Amino acid sequence: KSNAMWGGRFAAGPDAIMEAINASVDFDKRLASQDIAGSRAHAAMLARQGILSDNDAEAIRKGLLTVLSEIEAGEFTFSTALEDIHMNVEARLKEIIGEPAGRLHTARSRNDQVATDFKLWTRDQIDAAISGLEALIRALIAQAEAGADWVMPGFTHLQTAQPVTWGHHMMAYVEMFGRDMSRFADARARMNESPLGAAALAGTGFAIDRHMTAEALGFDRPAANSLDAVADRDFALEFLSSASICAMHLSRFAEELVIWSSAQFRFVTLSDRFSTGSSIMPQKKNPDAAELIRAKIGRIVGAMIALFTVMKGLPLAYSKDMQEDKEQVFDAADTLMLALAAMTGMVSDMTANVDKLRAAAASGFSTATDLADWLVREAGLPFRDAHHVTGALVAMAETKGVDLPDLTLAEMRSVHDAITEGVYDVLTVENSVASRTSYGGTAPEQVRAQIARWKERLG
Ligand code: ARG
């Protein structure tokens, strides 16, 4: 028996394998509420334009609400023979209200329907990502406020570089996640044009009002070109790109938490709630959540690459290839939301080990730059010479197995006689961070100013 929706020209129904490769309802049923919202807006518009009678429109409206409540209650039977969510909903509507259901698809195609549904779904995920990021940023700010003046080592090449403050390090991530938030917001503003009414690809001869449906669905305006409206998925790619960049930031921070929670570092203690044990080694407390967040980027970037590969080379307008867009975005969105929530929990719960941080900051000749700067400022040396003198002092300290502040004044003066007692003031890590007062620098006063700017921005 041929397909009830499009089988007019067919003598036979599809092969089982055809049905299996063609059907998408197993996953696109996640678009049910967006599909019904789109259909309601479309039917209301058709009625106002006199294309549909008020009675039919009312029957459709009520029927769609019934379908929605059946789906929400888990009482709906999805059929793969009906291919996708769009035809499943319409077929059920027909069972409930009869003939008027067949009038709903006037001046519409599944091509503009699916683009509309999928945009609505993606838009919701953008909003969820922005709220998730905001929660994470608030957790980071709380850590930064608590430790605006806790000193820790700053690294380059993962080698001790210069002392920084805990708050400064936390706020570095706030800036990154803040840009992620604005990337999602930019994508939302750009995508927020309604495909509905583009019909199959060419528009329609019916006197529809695309502005009305656009407004009803919260879009800023109808998409300007009907071919483009059904053919492009750049909104999904932009979501996946923004998600990939965000996942990369999460992965880097997760890696730091893995390192920091190791026995060799002990910079932080992760809470029991966000750690796991080992089935054989009783002493183990593993940072599994951090490790998984570090790894999740693989799925998200994978989804982005997969969809780029699907879309490249597709001629206009719609091709069935584009049905491959949804699973990628669904999985990437689920993965991102979970990773954001897990990171937020971990950050809120973790405890910085302030003494360990300070001790680590004071080792590894972390104030060597301060010493070189002192030679420039107090002894008038060119920076390159000061760098060389300081290097010699570091070598001396290393040979003696001590840190820079442990060298005696006589030892220091044997390298350069301009050095005086005053140099010891700049060799402490507290003085080092306190001196970095340039805008955006690590000095506690700068960190607090950055925190204040963020609190004002978040309200
Ligand atoms: N399930 C399809 C998709 O996800 C809906 C659009 C189908 N359109 C068509 N002309 N076959 O892309």
Side-chain angles (χ1 to χ4, degrees):
K1 177 167 156 290
S2 74
N3 187 290
M5 296 283 174
W6 44 252
R9 54 119 60 224
F10 288 79
D15 188 89
I17 292 171
M18 177 64 215
E19 201 174 290
I21 195 173
N22 199 35
S24 56
V25 69
D26 282 349
F27 52 85
D28 68 17
K29 61 183 169 204
R30 286 185 73 168
L31 302 178
S33 73
Q34 289 78 11
D35 191 67
I36 287 168
S39 289
R40 287 183 56 191
H42 184 65
M45 181 278 291
L46 291 178
R48 205 174 79 177
Q49 297 300 102
I51 300 166
L52 199 64
S53 75
D54 287 344
N55 282 346
D56 285 350
E58 182 54 15
I60 288 169
R61 191 187 69 81
K62 279 200 188 139
L64 286 170
L65 288 176
T66 306
V67 176
L68 182 62
S69 64
E70 287 176 0
I71 292 172
E72 282 173 348
E75 288 159 3
F76 191 96
T77 317
F78 294 98
S79 152
T80 51
L82 290 165
E83 293 184 29
D84 53 26
I85 185 63
H86 323 294
M87 300 212 293
N88 270 268
V89 168
E90 192 183 316
R92 180 68 188 128
L93 183 66
K94 178 136 194 248
E95 285 174 6
I96 299 170
I97 68 169
E99 193 246 44
R103 300 183 185 278
L104 169 61
H105 212 52
T106 311
R108 186 177 73 169
S109 153
R110 270 189 294 159
N111 297 349
D112 58 336
Q113 189 178 359
V114 73
T116 304
D117 296 0
F118 193 35
K119 256 195 183 179
L120 291 173
W121 193 90
T122 305
R123 198 177 67 186
D124 283 350
Q125 296 302 308
I126 287 178
D127 293 342
I130 290 173
S131 330
L133 279 162
E134 193 183 318
L136 175 54
I137 285 172
R138 286 185 192 279
L140 286 163
I141 289 175
Q143 284 286 354
E145 268 191 307
D149 54 9
W150 298 342
V151 183
M152 66 180 283
F155 299 93
T156 57
H157 314 266
L158 198 56
Q159 308 286 321
T160 302
Q162 294 175 350
V164 296
T165 50
W166 171 262
H168 196 219
H169 201 112
M170 295 299 121
M171 292 308 288
Y173 280 105
V174 167
E175 295 296 330
M176 294 179 236
F177 292 124
R179 284 193 299 277
D180 292 339
M181 219 163 43
S182 75
R183 243 184 300 278
F184 279 116
D186 289 349
R188 190 190 201 286
R190 209 166 6 258
M191 75 176 286
N192 206 26
E193 299 182 338
S194 172
L196 198 58
L201 72 166
T204 175
F206 289 100
I208 60 171
D209 182 352
R210 293 190 58 209
H211 290 87
M212 179 182 167
T213 47
E215 199 190 321
L217 295 169
F219 288 112
D220 295 327
R221 62 193 81 84
N225 181 298
S226 63
L227 280 170
D228 168 50
V230 296
D232 208 358
R233 292 293 182 269
D234 59 349
F235 68 90
L237 288 166
E238 221 175 323
F239 172 76
L240 292 173
S241 310
S242 305
S244 294
I245 295 174
C246 180
M248 175 274 294
H249 288 147
L250 286 168
S251 182
R252 293 182 71 171
F253 192 25
E255 163 72 349
E256 295 202 314
L257 294 181
V258 170
I259 295 173
W260 290 358
S261 62
S262 69
Q264 289 68 25
F265 273 74
R266 283 281 173 262
F267 283 8
V268 296
T269 306
L270 299 177
S271 75
D272 287 357
R273 303 196 315 150
F274 285 94
S275 309
T276 56
S278 156
S279 54
I280 175 167
M281 297 166 281
Q283 86 284 9
K284 291 280 275 182
K285 184 170 161 189
N286 293 327
D288 293 45
E291 294 165 85
L292 286 162
I293 293 169
R294 183 171 62 183
K296 292 289 185 193
I297 183 171
R299 300 167 75 123
I300 296 174
V301 172
M304 178 186 71
I305 302 293
L307 186 55
F308 268 114
T309 313
V310 166
M311 294 307 294
K312 81 160 281 295
L314 279 189
L316 302 191
Y318 178 84
S319 296
K320 197 60 176 264
D321 308 51
M322 287 157 70
Q323 180 166 286
E324 290 289 313
D325 57 2
K326 286 168 218 65
E327 285 163 290
Q328 303 301 338
V329 175
F330 291 166
D331 185 67
D334 292 345
T335 302
L336 183 70
M337 302 317 151
L338 184 57
L340 281 170
M343 186 57 98
T344 303
M346 245 184 330
V347 170
S348 308
D349 276 20
M350 73 185 178
T351 314
N353 300 323
V354 182
D355 295 343
K356 282 276 185 198
L357 290 172
R358 196 209 174 274
S363 71
F365 314 111
S366 67
T367 54
T369 314
D370 300 81
L371 202 167
D373 287 350
W374 183 91
L375 287 167
V376 170
R377 222 173 28 243
E378 305 294 327
L381 269 63
F383 182 77
R384 287 296 161 210
D385 296 349
H387 185 289
H388 198 81
V389 168
T390 307
L393 287 166
V394 167
M396 177 188 275
E398 196 164 45
T399 311
K400 292 180 182 290
V402 298
D403 267 308
L404 282 174
D406 305 322
L407 293 175
T408 65
L409 187 59
E411 286 167 338
M412 292 221 203
R413 289 176 61 89
S414 74
V415 175
H416 200 288
D417 62 9
I419 298 177
T420 64
E421 191 68 36
V423 78
Y424 289 97
D425 288 342
V426 301
L427 297 183
T428 70
V429 291
E430 283 76 14
N431 288 346
S432 172
V433 296
S435 74
R436 299 288 196 282
T437 52
S438 53
Y439 184 91
T442 204
E445 67 181 67
Q446 280 298 325
V447 172
R448 291 195 181 100
Q450 192 195 351
I451 292 172
R453 290 193 295 272
W454 264 98
K455 287 182 129 177
E456 191 174 315
R457 176 171 161 188
L458 293 177

